[in-house]
Amino acid sequence: MPAPPLRIFDSPCKSVCRIDDRFGWCIGCKRTRAEIKAWSTASDAEKQDILARLPVRAAAEPEVLAGGGS
């Protein structure tokens, strides 16, 4: 059964917590260091903006790993 969608105030952390330099974001939650650091003080709108970027990053990973990205 798929996980329920995140609520705005929920952290997207997956407890994997490792920044991959190929991507520039955490391999677990897909957030950058700056986004992780800012999360606890971010407004709901800022959190929503961060959450909106995560699926795009997850979709980009296979392309980067295949050599089609940076």
Side-chain angles (χ1 to χ4, degrees):
M1 175 176 255
L6 288 173
R7 297 170 295 180
I8 289 299
F9 46 83
D10 289 339
S11 169
C13 181
K14 307 279 190 216
S15 297
V16 176
C17 308
R18 186 169 65 89
I19 303 294
D20 190 317
D21 291 331
R22 293 173 294 182
F23 310 126
W25 56 73
C26 175
I27 63 170
C29 68
K30 312 303 182 225
R31 292 179 294 168
T32 65
R33 283 184 173 96
E35 291 166 343
I36 293 166
K37 183 178 178 183
W39 186 263
S40 64
T41 58
S43 69
D44 286 350
E46 291 167 329
K47 289 178 180 180
Q48 191 169 17
D49 288 344
I50 292 169
L51 291 173
R53 290 189 285 267
L54 305 183
V56 175
R57 292 176 185 165
E61 286 182 351
E63 182 179 332
V64 172
L65 292 173
S70 57

